[in-house]
Amino acid sequence: MKIFMCIWTVVLLLSASCLPVSAADGAEAFDIQKGEVVKIIPHSAQLQSEVEKWLAAIEGPIGSMNIEPDSGIAIKIELAPPLKISNPWLKGTVTQVVLFVSQSDTYTPKLLVFTQENNMIAMTLKYDLHTFFIRNNLYHPQLNLSMPN
């Protein structure tokens, strides 16, 4: 049942708004508990660069696709242009990422990566997200932005 909810939420996240956001428009910040988009982050070179840093900071794959927290924020970012990545866990051209951040103390941020080659992989990342969340007015003290140990 939990895997069904995870898949359903990812599908919902990918089709959350009536007016689809393209990479040229920016990223969608989605409140998981409310089930709605709460902010659009305009696409910019800075946003693209931030995602590049996230991809460089991945620690490895997660054993299951059950990565969505019960509460928190999911940020869907379409990449324009797509980013080529080659590391021990993933080789390909990344077209979209979804960052999951929870309010739970036991949940560390996760990154769902989609490639042009139709791969989808969930990753852990070791990256300080505070600046990104503050700069984009998404920071809330209850969000767990801690990096995994």
Side-chain angles (χ1 to χ4, degrees):
M1 180 67 171
K2 188 80 171 163
I3 188 118
F4 174 76
M5 287 301 295
C6 179
I7 292 169
W8 176 248
T9 301
V10 169
V11 169
L12 191 67
L13 176 66
L14 294 175
S15 61
S17 65
C18 297
L19 299 171
V21 174
S22 71
D25 295 334
E28 293 177 332
F30 183 83
D31 183 305
I32 294 168
Q33 209 164 17
K34 290 180 184 175
E36 63 187 39
V37 174
V38 293
K39 181 165 182 96
I40 301 293
I41 303 167
H43 184 72
S44 66
Q46 187 176 26
L47 179 62
Q48 189 87 0
S49 174
E50 186 74 19
V51 174
E52 263 185 281
K53 292 173 188 172
W54 297 350
L55 292 169
I58 54 179
E59 293 272 293
I62 299 169
S64 97
M65 288 304 294
N66 188 13
I67 65 166
E68 182 203 338
D70 294 330
S71 62
I73 300 280
I75 302 171
K76 179 183 87 166
I77 304 171
E78 298 276 345
L79 299 171
L83 298 170
K84 291 192 185 295
I85 186 171
S86 180
N87 64 41
W89 308 284
L90 180 65
K91 290 180 184 4
T93 304
V94 177
T95 57
Q96 181 182 99
V97 297
V98 180
L99 175 69
F100 291 97
V101 176
S102 178
Q103 295 176 354
S104 168
D105 291 339
T106 60
Y107 183 98
T108 57
K110 307 289 186 282
L111 191 65
L112 189 58
V113 179
F114 297 87
T115 69
Q116 209 167 36
E117 297 80 15
N118 294 321
N119 291 324
M120 177 178 66
I121 187 164
M123 304 281 207
T124 59
L125 71 153
K126 196 166 196 171
Y127 186 79
D128 187 355
L129 295 163
H130 285 89
T131 303
F132 174 79
F133 273 74
I134 291 168
R135 185 181 330 116
N136 290 290
N137 296 318
L138 291 169
Y139 179 77
H140 296 288
Q142 66 268 31
L143 289 175
N144 181 9
L145 300 175
S146 301
M147 293 183 276
N149 295 331

